[in-house]
Amino acid sequence: MLDADLAALYGVTTGALNLATRRNPGRFPADFMFRLTREEAGLIFQIEISKIGRGGRRFQPYAFTEQGVAMLSSVLRSERAVAVNILIMRTFVQLRRAVGETTELGHRMDGIERRIDVHGKMLDQILEALRALESPPPGARKEIGFRPKT
């Protein structure tokens, strides 16, 4: 999640949130929080250029991982921070479940597709055998029955 989005949820300014993380660098290693590159930020903000003195972003935003969001609740000590953190953690759990179900469904679909391929090949072989029985080769058939000699 981006720092601005988290700040809005926690009811603080983005600057206050980033200041709290800078004051506690040991709590936010690189796998908890990282700064977006210009390209990544450009994809998010789509050419929002900050003008000095007119507000807006002058630096690339920070992105927080699930662990970083959890650590924010220990840095931002308010009742709202705790309540928001609980909601965010529940959301992450639901997302993980949804991804797991989607992955499981994908594995099931792969298995079904493999079985359909095998069954399709078997059906093709059966159809070929039936067609061969429907039209025997010409001239190979002997006449059956009695014919008087003339």
Side-chain angles (χ1 to χ4, degrees):
M1 293 185 74
L2 295 179
D3 55 2
D5 298 329
L6 286 168
L9 287 172
Y10 286 120
V12 297
T13 65
T14 306
L17 184 133
N18 288 333
L19 180 64
T21 59
R22 280 194 307 271
R23 287 182 177 168
N24 298 284
R27 293 180 183 243
F28 296 96
D31 59 330
F32 281 26
M33 174 182 109
F34 55 92
R35 192 177 289 274
L36 296 180
T37 65
R38 274 191 196 275
E39 293 79 27
E40 292 166 336
L43 292 173
I44 295 168
F45 297 110
Q46 307 229 340
I47 311 174
E48 276 189 32
I49 299 172
S50 172
K51 295 190 171 131
I52 296 176
R54 295 188 186 170
R57 280 200 173 263
R58 289 171 192 81
F59 304 103
Q60 302 309 320
Y62 283 104
F64 290 82
T65 64
E66 181 180 353
Q67 293 86 4
V69 172
M71 190 59 72
L72 274 174
S73 67
S74 66
V75 173
L76 301 172
R77 297 179 192 167
S78 69
E79 289 181 33
R80 182 171 179 167
V82 172
V84 167
N85 191 53
I86 289 169
L87 289 174
I88 291 172
M89 289 300 113
R90 287 182 177 154
T91 302
F92 276 124
V93 168
Q94 289 175 346
L95 278 171
R96 241 184 273 117
R97 274 191 202 135
V99 167
E101 289 171 3
T102 304
T103 303
E104 181 183 335
L105 184 60
H107 291 307
R108 283 184 174 179
M109 291 297 290
D110 289 342
I112 290 171
E113 286 176 359
R114 279 192 290 275
R115 276 186 251 138
I116 287 174
D117 287 343
V118 169
H119 290 240
K121 289 175 185 173
M122 288 178 173
L123 285 173
D124 286 342
Q125 291 172 350
I126 291 170
L127 285 174
E128 285 178 29
L130 287 174
R131 286 190 186 113
L133 290 174
E134 283 179 347
S135 56
R141 189 172 178 175
K142 282 185 6 183
E143 291 187 26
I144 299 176
F146 175 75
R147 282 198 180 216
K149 291 185 182 179
T150 53

